[in-house]
Amino acid sequence: MTNSWHERFSTEEYVYGKEPNEFLVSAVQELPKGKVLCIAEGEGRNAVYLASLGFDVTSWDFAQAGLDKTKQLADEKGVVVTTELRDLAEVTWEEGQWDAIIHIFGHFPRNVLDRTLVGIKKALKPGGFYISELYTKEQLRYGTGGPRNEEMLCDPINLLKQFNGYFVKHFHIGEVNRVEGQLHTGTAHVVQSVFQKREED
């Protein structure tokens, strides 16, 4: 089976740029340092940024070319990121492994997304954080990045249902301006989330 993401990342250019996502930069400022997982992390811009802040970062992606570029960027910035080739449609989630899980513009079919969110809830430690910025279905009107298939775009109500019972530190739906390499540029429609798993009683 061809892996279109591997092909997309098999260039010298970082197609989403080397700078971290703006929302992530603001969202992690108050997070205690700990073990962080970045899923569908692509070429590593967010993982490398988090490593530069002192987090212990692991990056998962389905494209080996993306993981190779993550290592290259980490070397360039003088930090360490653990990279692992993972298919979210099949990955096994271990319980209570992560202080935070980062999910920036990782878009999947609804069944894979729901499976992933269930896994994330299992894998977060008590008190841990899920941080995401995802394109909503409204993004089809903008054409400034993301899948052109509505099923692959995020329904904010689904996110709220999935994380029912979590403490909502931040939840926002609306327009943002993003300049992230050649593939995310311009005004976009997103949902931003910071959900915290409640401490066990």
Side-chain angles (χ1 to χ4, degrees), residues 39-40 60 62 86-91 93 103 108 112 115-116:
I39 63 167
W60 284 0
F62 184 47
R86 292 285 185 269
D87 181 351
L88 291 172
E90 299 177 356
V91 72
W93 294 87
H103 181 193
F108 330 114
V112 178
R115 180 189 193 279
T116 298

Side-chain angles (χ1 to χ4, degrees), residues 20-39:
N21 171 264
E22 278 187 36
F23 172 64
L24 177 65
V25 171
S26 62
V28 300
Q29 294 306 315
E30 296 176 22
L31 253 60
K33 300 298 183 286
K35 286 184 64 181
V36 175
L37 173 66
C38 296
I39 63 167

Side-chain angles (χ1 to χ4, degrees), residues 6 110 140 154:
H6 179 75
R110 177 66 181 264
L140 288 174
C154 187

Side-chain angles (χ1 to χ4, degrees), residues 120-176:
I120 286 169
K121 290 184 289 183
K122 177 183 178 182
L124 281 174
K125 296 177 183 178
F129 294 87
Y130 168 75
I131 298 174
S132 67
E133 181 169 86
L134 301 167
Y135 290 121
T136 72
K137 295 182 185 299
E138 300 292 347
Q139 176 64 10
L140 288 174
R141 299 167 51 188
Y142 293 76
T144 53
R148 293 177 178 83
N149 177 352
E150 185 175 342
E151 192 216 352
M152 302 277 284
L153 295 165
C154 187
D155 176 1
I157 300 301
N158 182 45
L159 271 186
L160 286 173
K161 285 179 178 175
Q162 287 282 356
F163 286 93
N164 182 40
Y166 278 54
F167 179 65
V168 182
K169 287 187 71 74
H170 177 88
F171 191 78
H172 172 77
I173 306 165
E175 290 187 341
V176 296

